[in-house]
């Protein structure tokens, strides 16, 4: 397996827990008992979860495509 594939696979693997960690930090930072849940969940979904999961998918697809290309399939 080439070095580029390994790097992209590692980025895909690490971006998911990184997204989760960022969401948890943001949750602790924004959460107040008197605030409605939609007020901090929706911005967190739009600004943290969607870009983080999109990055995970993009890295994984790029690693898969490079791996398939290197194998000649």
């Amino acid at each position: 397996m080439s070095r580029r594939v390994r790097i992209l696979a590692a980025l895909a693997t690490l971006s998911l827990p990184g997204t989760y960690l960022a969401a948890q930090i943001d949750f602790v930072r924004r959460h107040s008992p008197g605030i409605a849940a939609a007020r901090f969940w929706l911005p967190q979904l739009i600004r943290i979860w969607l870009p983080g999961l999109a990055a995970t998918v993009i890295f994984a697809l790029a690693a898969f495509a490079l791996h398939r290309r290197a194998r000649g399939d």
Side-chain angles (χ1 to χ4, degrees), residues 4-73:
R4 289 183 289 172
V5 173
R6 288 182 188 197
I7 290 171
L8 286 170
L11 287 172
T13 304
L14 293 174
S15 63
L16 189 60
T19 300
Y20 178 77
L21 180 64
Q24 293 305 310
I25 291 170
D26 184 66
F27 176 76
V28 168
R29 190 175 58 91
R30 287 183 195 231
H31 182 68
S32 295
I35 297 176
R39 195 152 172 212
F40 58 85
W41 282 351
L42 188 60
Q44 187 180 80
L45 177 69
I46 293 170
R47 294 187 184 126
I48 296 174
W49 282 106
L50 289 178
L53 295 177
T56 301
V57 169
I58 290 170
F59 288 140
L61 287 175
F64 180 74
L66 281 176
H67 178 69
R68 294 280 296 204
R69 190 168 146 222
R71 285 184 45 198
D73 292 345

